[in-house]
Amino acid sequence: MTERTQAGGTPTERTPAGEAGKPGKPGKPGKPFLYVVVCAAGIAAEVDKLVGAALERDWEVGVIATPTALNGFFDTTAVETLTGRPIRSAWRTPADPRPFPPPDAVAVAPATFNTINKWAAGIADTLALGTLCEASGLGVPVAVLPCVADALAAHPAYRDSLERLRGMGVRIGEPYTGEPGPDGVRAEFGWERALDLLTGPGAP
């Protein structure tokens, strides 16, 4: 059964900084800790590919899902089995222990139109968004794999949001619409690209 940290308390008790903390503290000696933020897109059903690839590359992994993504968009039991940790979606209360150590990096995949725009605007009304909003200020490297339909990607607010995130140092992968190509086949989502963006040239 998926364990969820319960929301509670006043807004002043909701402390996203208490979730991310300061970077550079691995979950286990010699292993950096990666937060994987999952949004509600159909391709999220395959997020175990990213988690598995990260584990193979010697990361420790904790998954944070948007509330909608947690509602049937991926196999939470399978992901929790891979990571050995509960998936997080809601704020913990000040009295609750921190289930994840501070992140050394964050991968947002898939990242939806809604999450990208809210994040760029500084809206932190979910644990996932609160974690993302504070990450750049803490110097935590963040890689994003957008999954946004062409019609939404054409919206000027979305283009502005990508520019703002780039200006914050966020590493953004190639666009992915999720739509089938002319041959009727949907392209593969480049899950491991998020890890490449975090560890390739220019990475800390």
Side-chain angles (χ1 to χ4, degrees):
M1 178 179 295
T2 300
E3 177 184 341
R4 304 181 190 177
T5 304
Q6 296 298 313
T10 65
T12 57
E13 292 176 317
R14 295 178 174 181
T15 51
E19 308 302 337
K22 295 181 179 180
K25 297 180 180 179
K28 293 182 180 179
K31 288 193 175 186
F33 200 93
L34 176 70
Y35 284 9
V36 172
V37 175
V38 187
C39 303
I43 199 67
E46 300 176 2
V47 72
D48 59 305
K49 293 182 179 179
L50 173 56
V51 173
L55 294 170
E56 287 178 2
R57 295 195 193 190
D58 222 24
W59 292 87
E60 292 288 321
V61 180
V63 174
I64 298 174
T66 65
T68 305
L70 197 62
N71 190 24
F73 277 80
F74 66 101
D75 187 336
T76 57
T77 300
V79 169
E80 288 181 334
T81 298
L82 279 173
T83 65
R85 294 178 173 86
I87 293 166
R88 303 208 58 218
S89 182
W91 305 96
R92 66 181 179 87
T93 67
D96 290 333
R98 296 172 183 168
F100 297 166
D104 294 282
V106 179
V108 193
T112 58
F113 177 84
N114 190 53
T115 290
I116 287 171
N117 286 327
K118 280 189 165 186
W119 175 16
I123 297 171
D125 58 359
T126 66
L127 176 62
L129 282 164
T131 299
L132 295 176
C133 284
E134 73 173 357
S136 295
L138 291 169
V140 177
V142 183
V144 180
L145 300 184
C147 181
V148 178
D150 286 338
L152 291 174
H155 196 291
Y158 177 71
R159 296 196 298 268
D160 291 347
S161 293
L162 292 180
E163 275 305 302
R164 175 170 286 188
L165 293 177
R166 288 190 182 99
M168 292 162 54
V170 174
R171 302 153 197 195
I172 300 174
E174 296 77 10
Y176 181 86
T177 68
E179 297 297 324
D183 58 358
V185 178
R186 188 177 67 180
E188 290 289 326
F189 189 71
W191 293 104
E192 293 195 42
R193 177 62 175 149
L195 304 177
D196 295 338
L197 288 168
L198 292 170
T199 58

